Amino acid sequence: LIEFAGLQDQIEVWSGHSQTSLRRLKVECEARNQRVSAMFMDQCGSRFWQDFEAVHATGLVNDGAVVIADNVLKPGAPRYLYHLHRGPVSSYFDTKVVSVPEFGMVVVEDWLSVALVKVGRPWQDESVQEVMPEKVAELEWFAKTCRERAEGATGSVPFESWSKHSADMRVEMKKHFDIAPE
């Protein structure tokens, strides 16, 4: 797809664990005198905020960079969504969530988060180490337990359970943080 679009000289796709990729990012960007203009995250949602913070702290994120995160509803990334929409640095982002059918489970709703980074430079004054609202921690636990069931010995969660999880997460994110697709 990238080659078809003629962007093979501008886009590079890295796969692998984020901890490995994040170490590589700083080295590669500095060696090439490049910065981050786009980022797609499709790993464990509980790592999204930590991984974005690590990239942002390098100072290599462009103002206007686009960050897309998949699976922020199913199984969920409440901490990430909280920071982008309601946390102390939320003014640094213009963020939308988009409702999409889950791949292979079209009856199950998932969300993509699409964030425009207004200020790419590392934030100085705002502390993002504040105590998370209790509801964020509770929803993180809810997402984690569902993810663990999916990764467990049977390796599956019935469609009905995913559908209920997704619907419950949607209700909780709207009710407590006013986060929902437009």
Side-chain angles (χ1 to χ4, degrees):
L1 186 59
I2 294 167
E3 197 171 316
F4 180 75
L7 298 172
Q8 64 272 17
D9 294 335
Q10 298 174 25
I11 297 175
E12 193 171 330
V13 177
W14 298 351
S15 59
H17 196 284
S18 60
Q19 289 177 327
T20 304
S21 298
L22 292 175
R23 284 191 297 269
R24 178 180 169 200
L25 178 74
K26 184 164 177 57
V27 171
E28 296 264 347
C29 283
E30 288 177 347
R32 298 176 188 182
N33 197 28
Q34 293 178 331
R35 297 175 53 79
V36 176
S37 295
M39 186 172 164
F40 177 72
M41 295 187 290
D42 188 14
Q43 73 270 30
C44 177
S46 61
R47 290 201 51 89
F48 286 170
W49 182 251
Q50 178 183 352
D51 287 350
F52 177 74
E53 260 192 319
V55 172
H56 195 265
T58 67
L60 296 171
V61 176
N62 279 325
D63 292 356
V66 176
V67 181
I68 300 172
D70 194 10
N71 304 312
V72 296
L73 181 66
K74 178 209 157 281
R79 181 177 180 219
Y80 179 74
L81 291 175
Y82 169 78
H83 278 297
L84 294 182
H85 289 266
R86 301 288 172 257
V89 295
S90 61
S91 64
Y92 286 82
F93 304 95
D94 183 10
T95 307
K96 306 284 186 242
V97 290
V98 180
S99 177
V100 295
E102 175 59 31
F103 179 77
M105 299 182 203
V106 294
V107 297
V108 178
E109 179 185 27
D110 195 4
W111 292 348
L112 287 172
S113 168
V114 181
L116 176 72
V117 180
K118 294 187 216 175
V119 181
R121 63 176 161 55
W123 35 74
Q124 309 268 331
D125 302 328
E126 297 83 356
S127 170
V128 295
Q129 302 301 321
E130 89 285 358
V131 175
M132 285 283 111
E134 188 174 319
K135 193 61 174 181
V136 173
E138 179 184 318
L139 292 173
E140 279 286 322
W141 178 86
F142 184 52
K144 179 179 183 266
T145 57
C146 199
R147 186 178 299 108
E148 286 172 349
R149 282 184 30 224
E151 296 170 347
T154 62
S156 69
V157 173
F159 285 146
E160 298 78 22
S161 296
W162 274 129
S163 185
K164 180 174 178 357
H165 172 85
S166 178
D168 291 347
M169 188 69 84
R170 181 188 233 281
V171 166
E172 295 298 308
M173 293 304 293
K174 175 68 176 166
K175 177 180 173 183
H176 295 283
F177 306 109
D178 197 29
I179 299 172
E182 293 180 358

